[in-house]
Amino acid sequence: MRKLLLVALFAFPVVSFAKFVNPLEFDGSEAQKNEVIQYIKDRVHKEYCEGPVDMCQETTLRMMERKNLDAFKQATQATDKKIMNKVISDYCNSPVDMCNYVTINMMYNKNAKASKETLEW
């Protein structure tokens, strides 16, 4: 039984993707910087090379990687943790699967703005 398990482990390589880093929990360490970079690369590749629309060109990948890194940096400046956590939950922990930093930052900004508005005649 052990031999079978070992064979299975080596026969099927483990694909490991970097984990999502909450921008409000970013500590600026090199380890987290590397984790964010790897997550962005993996996510952009998944979205543009493995999806239903094939847009897997180097220029597109680099442009979207840069947009995601810029959005992540902006999102680290967010001030409302409740709104940020709700956005992350909605876009990362649901079937929607739009867990990229461009979407997270955009929706955080829209929700933060909307939270200060009221309906008036």
Side-chain angles (χ1 to χ4, degrees), residues 74-91:
Q74 291 172 9
T76 63
Q77 304 303 308
T79 56
D80 192 319
K81 188 171 186 169
K82 181 180 175 186
I83 291 174
M84 179 62 81
N85 287 337
K86 178 64 174 149
V87 168
I88 290 170
S89 176
D90 288 351
Y91 290 91

Side-chain angles (χ1 to χ4, degrees), residues 4-56:
L4 181 60
L5 183 59
L6 286 174
V7 169
L9 285 174
F10 289 114
F12 301 104
V14 176
V15 177
S16 128
F17 290 99
K19 66 179 181 159
F20 176 84
V21 176
N22 183 325
L24 296 183
E25 296 172 3
F26 181 66
D27 63 15
S29 67
E30 286 303 312
Q32 273 199 332
K33 286 178 182 177
N34 292 334
E35 192 73 26
V36 169
I37 294 285
Q38 193 59 53
Y39 178 83
I40 290 171
K41 286 179 175 182
D42 292 346
R43 185 68 199 191
V44 167
H45 188 272
K46 178 183 176 191
E47 290 175 354
Y48 290 88
C49 299
E50 299 170 21
V53 178
D54 183 7
M55 296 179 63
C56 193

Side-chain angles (χ1 to χ4, degrees), residues 40-110:
I40 290 171
K41 286 179 175 182
D42 292 346
R43 185 68 199 191
V44 167
H45 188 272
K46 178 183 176 191
E47 290 175 354
Y48 290 88
C49 299
E50 299 170 21
V53 178
D54 183 7
M55 296 179 63
C56 193
Q57 301 173 24
E58 296 303 316
T59 54
T60 302
L61 298 177
R62 297 303 86 75
M63 177 179 65
M64 294 314 297
E65 289 168 356
R66 173 55 52 198
K67 285 186 178 290
N68 271 272
L69 184 57
D70 290 345
F72 176 83
K73 290 176 181 179
Q74 291 172 9
T76 63
Q77 304 303 308
T79 56
D80 192 319
K81 188 171 186 169
K82 181 180 175 186
I83 291 174
M84 179 62 81
N85 287 337
K86 178 64 174 149
V87 168
I88 290 170
S89 176
D90 288 351
Y91 290 91
C92 298
N93 303 327
S94 72
V96 174
D97 191 26
M98 293 177 63
C99 191
N100 65 64
Y101 292 115
V102 171
T103 300
I104 299 301
N105 189 53
M106 176 184 66
M107 293 311 297
Y108 169 82
N109 289 332
K110 292 199 176 286

